[in-house]
């Protein structure tokens, strides 16, 4: 945010529009439909100090105009495009169309509508709502500089074995026993930053960023779970998180940074007992799933040299 000195004070300001919901449907001549649903947030950096200091709104882009622009630009997109490309398109519009706007941030969350399979065939116009959400943030300056981040919210993964936690610090408050056998469950929130720093060196392949999102999601899930028959042992959420972040950067050279947040949701073995002993004997096959309190683990990994 640009800082100015106003009447002897340091002054920073921005304004925008949040939670603009828009859905766009594309229809092919063959009758196949494609749909996206986006929740858009817009922030503008602009030279509109007069609106704060005096009765002068002549430099303000109205937030209602921002909302209408989302719908107008969605209509103008005759071909299906990624959520990243739409965020860049919006931000580029605001910094190029308005003289007073010096920078724009566009955040979008995409709702996961997935095509239905009926009798083994993809339905032409039927969709169901999935779970994890595709996110993006595009920061564009009037100069054409770009910061582009994508991510995943709510990627729920679980494995019923091949997880443990032992040899951690113990003190008088420690009650947790060592274990090499437990359920590991989490809901991954992932963010990754692309190395592209300008509007003028972006990939031109259609739906490039959508494909990259699906590829990153697969790497994260596959690394967490391991081989289909034997899996992979997790000695801690921390170690698993690092092993998920590392191949994400190694496999995709245009990613400069990845951040993962993985809460540890506990599945507690059920034990029903009375003073005379167990009422029901459980063999580690019935659990109480919990999501609070939960462990909170997050970390970031970035390249030493991140430019393409």
């Amino acid at each position: 945010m640009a800082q100015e000195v106003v009447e002897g004070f340091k002054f920073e300001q921005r304004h925008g529009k949040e939670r603009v919901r828009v859905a766009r449907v594309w229809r092919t001549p063959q009758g196949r439909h494609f749909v996206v649903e986006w929740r858009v947030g817009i922030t503008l950096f602009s030279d509109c100090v007069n609106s704060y200091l005096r009765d002068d709104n002549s430099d303000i882009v109205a937030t209602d105009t921002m909302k209408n622009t989302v719908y107008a630009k969605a209509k103008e997109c005759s071909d299906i495009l990624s959520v990243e490309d739409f965020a860049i398109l919006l931000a580029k519009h605001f910094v190029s169309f308005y003289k007073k706007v010096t920078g724009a941030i566009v955040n979008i969350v995409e709702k996961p509508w997935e095509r239905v399979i009926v009798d083994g065939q993809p339905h032409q116009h039927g969709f169901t709502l999935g779970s994890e959400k595709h996110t993006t943030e595009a920061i564009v300056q009037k100069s054409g500089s770009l910061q582009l981040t994508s991510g995943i919210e709510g990627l729920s993964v679980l494995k019923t074995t091949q997880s443990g936690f032992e040899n951690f610090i113990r003190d008088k408050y420690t009650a947790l026993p060592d274990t090499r056998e437990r359920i590991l469950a989490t809901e991954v929130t992932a963010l990754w930053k692309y190395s592209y720093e300008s509007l003028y060196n972006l990939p031109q392949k259609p739906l490039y960023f959508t494909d990259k999102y699906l590829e990153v999601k697969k790497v994260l899930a596959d690394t967490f779970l391991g081989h289909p028959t034997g899996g992979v042992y997790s000695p801690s959420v921390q170690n698993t998180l690092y092993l998920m972040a590392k191949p994400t950067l190694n496999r995709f050279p245009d990613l400069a940074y990845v951040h993962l947040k993985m809460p540890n949701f506990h599945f507690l073995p059920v034990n029903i007992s009375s003073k005379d002993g167990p009422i029901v004997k459980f063999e580690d096959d019935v659990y109480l799933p919990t999501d609070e309190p939960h462990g909170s683990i997050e970390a970031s990994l970035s390249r030493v040299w991140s430019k393409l």
Side-chain angles (χ1 to χ4, degrees), residues 1 14 17-18 38-45 82-92 103-110 133-141 145-153 190-199 202 209 213 257:
M1 182 186 297
R14 65 174 77 180
K17 196 74 166 181
E18 292 295 330
W38 294 324
R39 189 181 75 229
V40 182
I42 301 163
T43 299
L44 299 186
F45 302 96
S82 69
V83 64
E84 288 86 354
D85 284 327
F86 188 68
I88 293 169
L89 181 152
L90 274 178
K92 183 179 178 181
I105 303 175
V106 176
N107 294 279
I108 306 181
V109 178
E110 179 172 296
K133 296 176 181 178
H134 182 175
T135 66
T136 194
E137 178 182 83
I139 305 175
V140 175
Q141 305 295 333
S145 69
L146 169 70
Q147 296 179 51
L148 181 63
T149 305
S150 295
I152 301 170
E153 289 182 359
L191 290 173
W192 56 91
K193 183 179 179 180
Y194 288 96
S195 298
Y196 307 106
E197 296 183 342
S198 169
L199 294 172
L202 290 167
F209 294 111
Y213 166 81
Y257 161 96

Side-chain angles (χ1 to χ4, degrees), residues 265-301:
F265 296 141
H266 305 300
F267 280 62
L268 307 178
V270 171
N271 179 14
I272 303 176
S273 302
S274 70
K275 63 180 181 179
D276 299 320
I279 296 175
V280 178
K281 188 174 182 180
F282 295 96
E283 302 292 344
D284 290 332
D285 52 7
V286 178
Y287 299 84
L288 170 64
T290 68
D291 58 10
E292 57 181 34
H294 61 250
S296 179
I297 298 92
E298 59 183 299
S300 303
L301 203 63

Side-chain angles (χ1 to χ4, degrees), residues 7-306:
E7 298 179 350
F9 300 99
K10 292 181 179 180
F11 181 66
E12 298 178 348
Q13 56 82 22
R14 65 174 77 180
H15 77 292
K17 196 74 166 181
E18 292 295 330
R19 304 185 70 84
V20 181
R21 296 181 61 182
V22 58
R24 178 64 158 95
V25 178
W26 291 271
R27 300 173 176 88
T28 68
Q30 296 76 28
R32 188 176 175 86
H33 294 186
F34 296 86
V35 63
V36 293
E37 182 180 342
W38 294 324
R39 189 181 75 229
V40 182
I42 301 163
T43 299
L44 299 186
F45 302 96
S46 59
D47 182 11
C48 62
V49 176
N50 285 340
S51 65
Y52 292 88
L53 302 184
R54 54 190 62 90
D55 184 10
D56 182 358
N57 296 330
S58 59
D59 295 328
I60 291 181
V61 180
T63 64
D64 188 67
T65 302
M66 298 180 202
K67 177 201 67 178
N68 295 340
T69 301
V70 172
Y71 299 120
K73 291 299 177 182
K75 172 62 178 176
E76 291 175 9
C77 295
S78 57
D79 296 320
I80 187 170
L81 76 169
S82 69
V83 64
E84 288 86 354
D85 284 327
F86 188 68
I88 293 169
L89 181 152
L90 274 178
K92 183 179 178 181
H93 165 80
F94 287 116
V95 299
S96 61
F97 191 75
Y98 297 102
K99 181 179 178 181
K100 294 290 186 177
V101 175
T102 59
I105 303 175
V106 176
N107 294 279
I108 306 181
V109 178
E110 179 172 296
K111 211 166 184 176
W113 290 108
E114 300 171 350
R115 190 176 301 277
V116 175
I117 305 297
V118 178
D119 295 333
Q121 295 185 358
H123 200 284
Q124 284 192 321
H125 55 263
F127 301 84
T128 57
L129 188 61
S131 53
E132 62 274 359
K133 296 176 181 178
H134 182 175
T135 66
T136 194
E137 178 182 83
I139 305 175
V140 175
Q141 305 295 333
K142 195 176 280 292
S143 63
S145 69
L146 169 70
Q147 296 179 51
L148 181 63
T149 305
S150 295
I152 301 170
E153 289 182 359
L155 176 61
S156 296
V157 285
L158 175 152
K159 55 185 182 180
T160 54
T161 188
Q162 286 284 58
S163 174
F165 189 59
E166 54 189 340
N167 300 321
F168 46 87
I169 294 173
R170 291 192 172 276
D171 57 37
K172 63 181 180 179
Y173 300 115
T174 304
L176 186 70
D178 285 357
T179 183
R180 290 188 61 84
E181 181 60 43
R182 65 173 183 173
I183 291 176
L184 180 58
T186 188
E187 186 177 279
V188 180
T189 300
L191 290 173
W192 56 91
K193 183 179 179 180
Y194 288 96
S195 298
Y196 307 106
E197 296 183 342
S198 169
L199 294 172
Y200 310 109
N201 69 344
L202 290 167
Q204 298 304 305
K205 179 184 176 183
L207 297 176
Y208 174 85
F209 294 111
T210 299
D211 293 340
K212 186 60 61 74
Y213 166 81
L214 295 173
E215 291 168 1
V216 170
K217 184 172 71 169
K218 186 176 188 304
V219 168
L220 293 174
D222 288 356
T223 306
F224 176 90
L225 297 169
H227 190 274
T229 55
V232 60
Y233 182 72
S234 170
S236 66
V237 179
Q238 286 85 344
N239 180 253
T240 297
L241 183 153
Y242 179 78
L243 293 179
M244 292 165 66
K246 184 178 177 181
T248 303
L249 281 186
N250 285 340
R251 195 165 303 186
F252 307 111
D254 57 348
L255 269 58
Y257 161 96
V258 62
H259 178 92
L260 299 181
K261 183 174 182 179
M262 295 171 52
N264 186 10
F265 296 141
H266 305 300
F267 280 62
L268 307 178
V270 171
N271 179 14
I272 303 176
S273 302
S274 70
K275 63 180 181 179
D276 299 320
I279 296 175
V280 178
K281 188 174 182 180
F282 295 96
E283 302 292 344
D284 290 332
D285 52 7
V286 178
Y287 299 84
L288 170 64
T290 68
D291 58 10
E292 57 181 34
H294 61 250
S296 179
I297 298 92
E298 59 183 299
S300 303
L301 203 63
S302 60
R303 302 183 191 278
V304 177
W305 297 102
S306 60

